[in-house]
Amino acid sequence: MERRRRTARIAAMLACAAVPVVLLAGCSSSGSGSGSGSDGGSSAGASASASSGGKDSAASSSGTTTSATPAPEPAKYAKLPDACTSLTKETVSALVPKVKHAGGSKAAGSDTVTRGGCSWTGNGSDGYQYRWLSVSFQRFTASPGLGSPEEQAQSNYADQVSEAGKAIPGSATSVADGIGDQASSVGGKATVAKVTSQNDSVVARTGNVVVLVEFNGAGLEGKKNPTSTTVANGALRAAKDAVAAVAAANS
């Protein structure tokens, strides 16, 4: 019994430390208006006056125009899926056996317009295989001066891949094919409360939406950790679900 209580404490510390890479904070995506164009023109005319000889003279009119500012490209996706239903039940069950809350824990401030997040945790069927799974979404909108929604998403995608690498010391980054418009997998190990976990993050972009999936696994009380391949494949599976959910939410 004491061993299980100690295991629960370790799992709780890991859960508190397993904070997602900052996908949802500090993104310049608050603008919601499209770029506006303006056409200006002025004309001036001189009135005719009659001369003493009965002759009229008229002044010519002239006008000037300014070129219109191109409007940013429209956003491909207008909304986000509910983060806690973006992954299939089968995926959650396979990646987090004996999940504590099958419906997930929604991140604070989640909505279906600009950003959202959800996470799941569990200790496996034997109580000693800790798993933590998280999915986050960020949607970018038209904003003059910041580029099109897709350009903003491309920039944020690059930033998130870099941040994921910094969060996992000694990590390895590889391109993940077949997920959205572009995706990368960042894998490595991390140690929290003297427990070393196998971690993998997948950052994906689909149109004007950036998706971040994080998946961590650790064997507690001397149990073996899941392999890097198992964790990486699990994160990729979840990322495919999340990207498909974005398309489905806008169909």
Side-chain angles (χ1 to χ4, degrees), residues 87 92 95-96 118-120 131-135 213-215 238:
L87 307 186
V92 172
L95 272 55
V96 189
C118 192
S119 63
W120 298 260
R131 298 290 185 274
W132 184 77
L133 173 65
S134 171
V135 61
V213 167
E214 294 179 280
F215 184 40

Side-chain angles (χ1 to χ4, degrees), residues 123-149:
N123 285 343
S125 58
D126 64 356
Y128 299 104
Q129 282 296 324
Y130 174 78
R131 298 290 185 274
W132 184 77
L133 173 65
S134 171
V135 61
S136 302
F137 297 90
Q138 174 72 54
R139 174 181 168 271
F140 293 85
T141 59
S143 183
L146 295 178
S148 70

Side-chain angles (χ1 to χ4, degrees), residues 122-188:
N123 285 343
S125 58
D126 64 356
Y128 299 104
Q129 282 296 324
Y130 174 78
R131 298 290 185 274
W132 184 77
L133 173 65
S134 171
V135 61
S136 302
F137 297 90
Q138 174 72 54
R139 174 181 168 271
F140 293 85
T141 59
S143 183
L146 295 178
S148 70
E150 187 160 325
E151 288 172 337
Q152 294 177 64
Q154 288 172 340
S155 177
N156 184 265
Y157 165 82
D159 290 343
Q160 293 309 315
V161 173
S162 176
E163 288 298 320
K166 294 176 183 178
I168 307 176
S171 61
T173 302
S174 59
V175 174
D177 295 323
I179 303 178
D181 295 310
Q182 55 187 148
S184 294
S185 174
V186 183

Side-chain angles (χ1 to χ4, degrees), residues 12-228:
M13 286 187 285
L14 286 169
C16 291
V19 179
V21 173
V22 185
L23 172 67
L24 305 181
C27 300
S28 300
S29 61
S30 59
S32 59
S34 60
S36 61
S38 61
D39 291 302
S42 62
S43 61
S47 61
S49 59
S51 64
S52 58
K55 294 182 179 181
D56 296 327
S57 64
S60 62
S61 64
S62 62
T64 59
T65 59
T66 58
S67 59
T69 301
E73 295 177 10
K76 180 177 181 178
Y77 295 119
K79 57 184 178 180
L80 297 173
D82 182 316
C84 288
T85 60
S86 64
L87 307 186
T88 66
K89 293 180 180 179
E90 292 78 12
T91 293
V92 172
S93 177
L95 272 55
V96 189
K98 297 292 183 179
V99 61
K100 292 182 179 179
H101 303 290
S105 299
K106 185 169 291 188
S110 292
D111 60 50
T112 56
V113 179
T114 57
R115 63 189 66 198
C118 192
S119 63
W120 298 260
T121 187
N123 285 343
S125 58
D126 64 356
Y128 299 104
Q129 282 296 324
Y130 174 78
R131 298 290 185 274
W132 184 77
L133 173 65
S134 171
V135 61
S136 302
F137 297 90
Q138 174 72 54
R139 174 181 168 271
F140 293 85
T141 59
S143 183
L146 295 178
S148 70
E150 187 160 325
E151 288 172 337
Q152 294 177 64
Q154 288 172 340
S155 177
N156 184 265
Y157 165 82
D159 290 343
Q160 293 309 315
V161 173
S162 176
E163 288 298 320
K166 294 176 183 178
I168 307 176
S171 61
T173 302
S174 59
V175 174
D177 295 323
I179 303 178
D181 295 310
Q182 55 187 148
S184 294
S185 174
V186 183
K189 295 181 179 180
T191 300
V192 177
K194 297 183 180 180
V195 176
T196 299
S197 61
Q198 186 66 49
N199 303 349
D200 198 274
S201 297
V202 174
V203 184
R205 180 186 67 81
T206 177
N208 58 308
V209 175
V210 176
V211 177
L212 171 65
V213 167
E214 294 179 280
F215 184 40
N216 306 336
L220 305 178
E221 299 293 346
K223 300 293 184 179
K224 289 185 178 180
N225 280 4
T227 67
S228 58

